[in-house]
mmCIF file of all heavy atoms in Angstrom:
data_model
loop_
_atom_site.group_PDB
_atom_site.id
_atom_site.type_symbol
_atom_site.label_atom_id
_atom_site.label_comp_id
_atom_site.label_asym_id
_atom_site.label_seq_id
_atom_site.Cartn_x
_atom_site.Cartn_y
_atom_site.Cartn_z
ATOM 1 N N GLY A 4 -5.331 178.664 122.394
ATOM 2 C CA GLY A 4 -3.969 178.140 122.372
ATOM 3 C C GLY A 4 -3.967 176.670 122.730
ATOM 4 O O GLY A 4 -4.839 176.198 123.447
ATOM 5 N N SER A 5 -3.002 175.944 122.208
ATOM 6 C CA SER A 5 -2.998 174.519 122.497
ATOM 7 C C SER A 5 -2.411 174.262 123.873
ATOM 8 O O SER A 5 -1.333 174.735 124.214
ATOM 9 C CB SER A 5 -2.221 173.763 121.416
ATOM 10 O OG SER A 5 -0.928 173.500 121.854
ATOM 11 N N VAL A 6 -3.162 173.539 124.660
ATOM 12 C CA VAL A 6 -2.703 173.183 125.991
ATOM 13 C C VAL A 6 -1.608 172.129 125.861
ATOM 14 O O VAL A 6 -1.673 171.255 124.998
ATOM 15 C CB VAL A 6 -3.884 172.619 126.808
ATOM 16 C CG1 VAL A 6 -3.416 172.189 128.189
ATOM 17 C CG2 VAL A 6 -4.988 173.644 126.903
ATOM 18 N N SER A 7 -0.621 172.207 126.669
ATOM 19 C CA SER A 7 0.466 171.232 126.624
ATOM 20 C C SER A 7 -0.075 169.807 126.781
ATOM 21 O O SER A 7 -0.890 169.533 127.651
ATOM 22 C CB SER A 7 1.465 171.538 127.743
ATOM 23 O OG SER A 7 2.318 170.439 127.911
ATOM 24 N N GLY A 8 0.362 168.926 125.911
ATOM 25 C CA GLY A 8 -0.088 167.538 126.011
ATOM 26 C C GLY A 8 -1.382 167.284 125.276
ATOM 27 O O GLY A 8 -1.767 166.143 125.050
ATOM 28 N N GLU A 9 -2.037 168.332 124.870
ATOM 29 C CA GLU A 9 -3.296 168.143 124.143
ATOM 30 C C GLU A 9 -2.985 167.643 122.738
ATOM 31 O O GLU A 9 -2.015 168.054 122.118
ATOM 32 C CB GLU A 9 -4.038 169.482 124.087
ATOM 33 C CG GLU A 9 -5.385 169.425 123.409
ATOM 34 C CD GLU A 9 -5.996 170.834 123.372
ATOM 35 O OE1 GLU A 9 -5.775 171.609 124.328
ATOM 36 O OE2 GLU A 9 -6.672 171.140 122.386
ATOM 37 N N ARG A 10 -3.848 166.817 122.228
ATOM 38 C CA ARG A 10 -3.632 166.246 120.907
ATOM 39 C C ARG A 10 -4.839 166.591 120.064
ATOM 40 O O ARG A 10 -5.944 166.126 120.313
ATOM 41 C CB ARG A 10 -3.493 164.725 121.069
ATOM 42 C CG ARG A 10 -2.880 164.007 119.921
ATOM 43 C CD ARG A 10 -1.389 164.347 119.773
ATOM 44 N NE ARG A 10 -0.735 163.346 118.920
ATOM 45 C CZ ARG A 10 -0.459 162.094 119.327
ATOM 46 N NH1 ARG A 10 -0.763 161.714 120.530
ATOM 47 N NH2 ARG A 10 0.122 161.265 118.498
ATOM 48 N N ILE A 11 -4.649 167.473 119.112
ATOM 49 C CA ILE A 11 -5.788 167.839 118.279
ATOM 50 C C ILE A 11 -5.864 166.928 117.071
ATOM 51 O O ILE A 11 -4.919 166.807 116.294
ATOM 52 C CB ILE A 11 -5.710 169.308 117.830
ATOM 53 C CG1 ILE A 11 -5.643 170.206 119.058
ATOM 54 C CG2 ILE A 11 -6.926 169.652 116.995
ATOM 55 C CD1 ILE A 11 -5.514 171.658 118.725
ATOM 56 N N HIS A 12 -7.007 166.278 116.914
ATOM 57 C CA HIS A 12 -7.164 165.343 115.810
ATOM 58 C C HIS A 12 -7.715 166.085 114.609
ATOM 59 O O HIS A 12 -8.852 166.511 114.589
ATOM 60 C CB HIS A 12 -8.113 164.218 116.211
ATOM 61 C CG HIS A 12 -8.331 163.239 115.125
ATOM 62 N ND1 HIS A 12 -7.531 162.134 114.948
ATOM 63 C CD2 HIS A 12 -9.245 163.203 114.144
ATOM 64 C CE1 HIS A 12 -7.959 161.462 113.896
ATOM 65 N NE2 HIS A 12 -9.001 162.082 113.392
ATOM 66 N N VAL A 13 -6.891 166.267 113.596
ATOM 67 C CA VAL A 13 -7.381 166.890 112.374
ATOM 68 C C VAL A 13 -7.480 165.847 111.276
ATOM 69 O O VAL A 13 -6.559 165.080 111.056
ATOM 70 C CB VAL A 13 -6.445 168.018 111.879
ATOM 71 C CG1 VAL A 13 -6.877 169.352 112.441
ATOM 72 C CG2 VAL A 13 -5.016 167.715 112.229
ATOM 73 N N GLN A 14 -8.601 165.824 110.608
ATOM 74 C CA GLN A 14 -8.744 164.931 109.471
ATOM 75 C C GLN A 14 -7.987 165.574 108.319
ATOM 76 O O GLN A 14 -8.469 166.467 107.645
ATOM 77 C CB GLN A 14 -10.230 164.756 109.128
ATOM 78 C CG GLN A 14 -10.514 163.878 107.933
ATOM 79 C CD GLN A 14 -10.130 162.419 108.170
ATOM 80 O OE1 GLN A 14 -8.985 162.123 108.506
ATOM 81 N NE2 GLN A 14 -11.071 161.518 108.012
ATOM 82 N N VAL A 15 -6.773 165.131 108.076
ATOM 83 C CA VAL A 15 -5.962 165.731 107.017
ATOM 84 C C VAL A 15 -6.477 165.367 105.630
ATOM 85 O O VAL A 15 -6.827 164.219 105.387
ATOM 86 C CB VAL A 15 -4.488 165.294 107.116
ATOM 87 C CG1 VAL A 15 -3.758 166.149 108.107
ATOM 88 C CG2 VAL A 15 -4.399 163.833 107.482
ATOM 89 N N ARG A 16 -6.492 166.335 104.776
ATOM 90 C CA ARG A 16 -6.877 166.079 103.392
ATOM 91 C C ARG A 16 -5.741 165.303 102.726
ATOM 92 O O ARG A 16 -4.579 165.698 102.818
ATOM 93 C CB ARG A 16 -7.090 167.425 102.677
ATOM 94 C CG ARG A 16 -7.575 167.332 101.253
ATOM 95 C CD ARG A 16 -7.719 168.723 100.650
ATOM 96 N NE ARG A 16 -6.472 169.495 100.693
ATOM 97 C CZ ARG A 16 -5.490 169.361 99.837
ATOM 98 N NH1 ARG A 16 -5.551 168.468 98.888
ATOM 99 N NH2 ARG A 16 -4.411 170.117 99.938
ATOM 100 N N PRO A 17 -6.059 164.182 102.089
ATOM 101 C CA PRO A 17 -4.990 163.421 101.433
ATOM 102 C C PRO A 17 -4.356 164.264 100.337
ATOM 103 O O PRO A 17 -5.036 165.081 99.727
ATOM 104 C CB PRO A 17 -5.725 162.223 100.828
ATOM 105 C CG PRO A 17 -7.107 162.250 101.364
ATOM 106 C CD PRO A 17 -7.375 163.599 101.898
ATOM 107 N N PRO A 18 -3.063 164.083 100.107
ATOM 108 C CA PRO A 18 -2.385 164.874 99.076
ATOM 109 C C PRO A 18 -2.945 164.587 97.689
ATOM 110 O O PRO A 18 -3.296 163.444 97.390
ATOM 111 C CB PRO A 18 -0.939 164.409 99.176
ATOM 112 C CG PRO A 18 -0.989 163.090 99.850
ATOM 113 C CD PRO A 18 -2.176 163.135 100.757
#
Side-chain angles (χ1 to χ4, degrees):
Chain A
S5 99
V6 178
S7 166
E9 182 182 326
R10 197 69 163 286
I11 302 178
H12 179 89
V13 268
Q14 178 67 304
V15 277
R16 184 181 57 81

